[in-house]
Amino acid sequence: MGQALPKPGLRPFLPADLPVLVDIYEESIAELTGEDYSESQQEAWIARAEDDAFAQRLTQSLTLIATVEGSPVGFIALKDNELIDLFYVHPAAAGQGIGTMLYDAVEKLAGARGAPRLVAEVSDNALPFFQKQGFQPQRRNTMPLSDEWLATTTMEKRLAPQEDRKLSS
């Protein structure tokens, strides 16, 4: 018989989590985006975690952390109740439902707060995940990072009006 995987948990971001979230961010980019982005693009992307703006993005957003046996394995940050600003899962936990759990929690919270939609600036490797969640591509973008450019897609998902969500609950 196979061994059951530990059940993941969710909790809010705490300032003490910053170092481990930076590690998750860096590992996720380094290991999961190589098919879509060059090494220099990945390095420029990773460098964004080295300034105070990264910590501010986490603290000024509704940031949830996924844990397994108490250790953070992923996180999602919802800014202004509509924008999925940061969303990363550690490569060792990828494909185990962690991202879906984080996304589902944010969608429920945004919906409960009356958000009409969710928007995300999505890397090429994350595109299939967001499509699976019902997001539609709106436009292709080229984002400048240092001396590099990253191709992304702005995606949107319309949320059901709050009355409809109450009826389906």
Side-chain angles (χ1 to χ4, degrees), residues 47-161:
R48 294 182 74 194
E50 295 171 2
D51 62 22
D52 292 337
F54 187 80
Q56 287 176 342
R57 288 170 71 187
L58 292 168
T59 57
Q60 293 174 356
S61 299
L62 168 65
T63 302
L64 298 176
I65 296 176
T67 61
V68 173
E69 295 182 337
S71 296
V73 294
F75 64 97
I76 190 168
L78 182 67
K79 181 180 178 181
D80 299 331
N81 211 36
E82 279 191 2
L83 175 66
I84 297 174
D85 187 34
L86 295 164
F87 186 13
Y88 294 88
V89 174
H90 193 280
Q96 298 177 25
I98 301 295
T100 300
M101 179 184 73
L102 284 164
Y103 171 75
D104 287 348
V106 160
E107 182 179 309
K108 286 177 185 159
L109 286 166
R113 293 173 171 193
R117 67 187 185 145
L118 286 173
V119 177
E121 192 69 34
V122 178
S123 63
D124 290 351
N125 60 296
L127 206 57
F129 175 87
F130 278 89
Q131 289 172 320
K132 188 176 176 186
Q133 306 312 314
F135 280 73
Q136 297 297 315
Q138 302 299 306
R139 70 182 167 275
R140 286 290 284 169
N141 307 296
T142 309
M143 183 171 65
L145 288 178
S146 300
D147 293 336
E148 294 294 327
W149 294 88
L150 257 63
T152 63
T153 302
T154 301
M155 299 191 78
E156 179 181 298
K157 180 179 181 179
R158 288 272 168 210
L159 301 178

